[in-house]
Amino acid sequence: MARHDAVRIGRTLKGLGPVLAVVVAAAAVAGAVAWAEVPARLSLHGGFVDISAYRYGGRLVLDGLPLYGSRDPATNLRFTYPPFAALPMAPLALLPFWLVTALWTAASVGALAGVILVVGRALRRPVPGWLVALLTAGAFALEPVWQNLTFGQINLLLMLAVLVDLTYPERRWSGVLVGIAAGVKLTPLVFVVLLVLAGRRTTAGRALLAFAGTVAIGFATIPGSARTYWADNLVKAGRVGPPELAHNQSVFGTLTRLLDGVPPTLLWLAVAGPLALAIVALGAVWWRRGDRVLGAGFGALAMLLASPVSWSHHWVWAVPVGLALWTHSRWASLLWTAVFVARPFVWPPWGDRREYGWGPIEHVLGNAYLIAALVLYLWAAVRLRAHGTGPAPGRSRRGSPPRSLPARRDFGAVRGTP
């Protein structure tokens, strides 16, 4: 038995060899760029500024200083996440920046590959290692992905954690990863609503308990910073950047650009609230009908539209959504992906408040991600109406999601795919 297990593990590692090659190559490039201290304007766009701010938050924890109120000397950015998020960043403060950048990039690219593997299994379309590597490298062309890597953002890691929970909710610990993700970055709490609407109340409750645990850990370890965050910083959405910037592809950002100023809170809530609820409700229907990946994707879109600030690099959920769409409509998948490759929101003049001078066409281009999400919502609603929304058939012995919607297609000519 031990020999059989060793052979199986060896075959798995061999199959993932191309994936490891992509991960190592990306890490090597990131580490080399950071080590050489190439000016951001001459290197990859982004300059790894976000990982620098994360590392600064970890340094503040180690030094016993307040998390909020000061700025990272290297980037002039503040640490804006909940107190719990700074704790795992503390070890990064002890390492040289080039090594932190390499390790973080490797983890992010590995998470992206993990997302592709999880999506394939959830859709019952197992993806071999060579195709995972190809899709991972191809995903670098999507603006949210390469922005994540060059800024050193955390979104790819959180996306993998959430997807694991939402595609395998039968596991005893399912929901914990969603709660931890929400403890790092509050917006994943939207997925708790998705779980409730999908009938997974126990999993949703477990997610809330895990989130509460992250809050308690924050108060226990850095109580002063925790009080500051939950009493003051929580409602200061503008602390992360100008909301009118074209890169803010949320309802709040769109309203700010349309109104030439920050919208009244009631107006924003009146637009974003019902819209996000409708999208997450549609996601719950798709989830119950058997497509847990697309269902989770709609939960993510609701999260992105409802958040006051959803920078373009937060839209990494374009990857699993695009893969899920491929099993229903290749044209829909290609058009969806093309939007995130082309990033039309930067075609009009942007920055320095130039968004306030946009005309009608520029507003359409400048809110491309949000508009793509709304078009996808309409497409999915029409498709559900055409094929019915009744309860899905029973699950198989292995707990695989039922296949109740027609026109499912493989990602490609994948060996071993039914």
Side-chain angles (χ1 to χ4, degrees), residues 3 23-24 54 78-79 81 133 149 182 193 230 271 278 332 340 358 391 398 403 416:
R3 182 179 179 182
V23 171
V24 171
Y54 299 161
R78 301 179 187 270
F79 186 86
Y81 290 166
L149 297 176
V193 179
W230 295 107
V271 176
F340 295 92
W358 283 358
R398 296 183 181 180
R403 295 180 63 187

Side-chain angles (χ1 to χ4, degrees), residues 201-225:
R201 292 176 175 80
T202 301
T203 306
R206 200 177 292 124
L208 289 176
L209 286 176
F211 170 69
T214 67
V215 176
I217 291 172
F219 274 102
T221 54
I222 41 178
S225 295

Side-chain angles (χ1 to χ4, degrees), residues 26-60:
V29 170
V33 170
W35 176 78
E37 297 183 350
V38 180
R41 66 180 181 276
L42 299 178
S43 64
L44 296 173
H45 174 74
F48 309 111
V49 295
D50 286 321
I51 187 59
S52 179
Y54 299 161
R55 187 166 171 257
Y56 178 66
R59 169 56 63 187
L60 293 175

Side-chain angles (χ1 to χ4, degrees), residues 123 125 291 322-329 406-411:
L123 296 175
R125 297 289 186 265
D291 195 331
L323 292 174
L325 284 176
W326 185 263
T327 66
H328 298 286
S329 168
R408 302 181 73 88
R409 298 181 176 90
D410 297 352
F411 295 138

Side-chain angles (χ1 to χ4, degrees), residues 106-372:
S108 297
V109 175
L112 178 60
V115 164
I116 294 169
L117 280 170
V118 169
V119 168
R121 291 174 181 173
L123 296 175
R124 298 200 295 181
R125 297 289 186 265
V127 188
W130 66 267
L131 186 54
V132 174
L134 184 62
L135 291 173
T136 300
F140 293 171
L142 276 68
E143 183 266 351
V145 173
W146 64 257
Q147 288 267 33
N148 257 265
L149 297 176
T150 58
F151 276 99
Q153 260 282 339
I154 198 172
N155 299 300
L156 291 167
L157 301 170
L158 297 181
M159 178 171 64
L160 176 60
V162 170
L163 264 179
V164 168
D165 261 6
L166 292 180
T167 54
Y168 300 101
E170 297 84 10
R171 295 176 177 177
R172 291 182 179 180
W173 50 268
S174 289
V176 172
L177 293 179
V178 169
I180 293 175
V184 172
K185 194 173 185 178
L186 295 177
T187 48
L189 284 173
V190 170
F191 295 105
V192 176
V193 179
L194 175 66
L195 287 168
V196 171
L197 294 177
R200 290 286 175 174
R201 292 176 175 80
T202 301
T203 306
R206 200 177 292 124
L208 289 176
L209 286 176
F211 170 69
T214 67
V215 176
I217 291 172
F219 274 102
T221 54
I222 41 178
S225 295
R227 284 193 296 269
T228 298
Y229 180 84
W230 295 107
D232 300 323
N233 287 13
L234 184 61
V235 297
K236 296 178 181 178
R239 72 188 187 279
V240 298
E244 78 279 356
L245 194 66
H247 294 69
N248 182 15
Q249 292 289 300
S250 67
V251 170
F252 190 84
T254 298
L255 289 175
T256 301
R257 292 185 286 271
L258 286 172
L259 300 176
D260 292 340
V262 175
T265 300
L266 288 179
L267 175 62
W268 165 55
L269 292 176
V271 176
L275 184 60
L277 183 59
I279 293 175
V280 77
L282 182 67
V285 174
W286 275 87
W287 196 95
R288 294 174 71 103
R289 292 295 298 169
D291 195 331
R292 292 177 174 178
V293 177
L294 195 55
F298 277 115
L301 296 182
M303 170 185 71
L304 292 165
L305 296 187
S307 175
V309 176
S310 293
W311 299 127
S312 61
H313 53 254
H314 295 164
W315 286 74
V316 289
W317 283 87
V319 174
V321 169
L323 292 174
L325 284 176
W326 185 263
T327 66
H328 298 286
S329 168
R330 292 183 178 179
W331 277 112
S333 178
L334 291 172
L335 290 173
W336 170 263
T337 303
V339 171
F340 295 92
V341 172
R343 60 175 190 148
F345 68 88
V346 296
W347 295 358
W350 61 273
D352 297 325
R353 302 169 68 89
R354 284 181 289 180
E355 291 87 351
Y356 290 148
W358 283 358
I361 299 299
E362 291 169 319
H363 275 291
V364 172
L365 296 172
N367 297 294
Y369 289 5
L370 179 143
I371 292 174

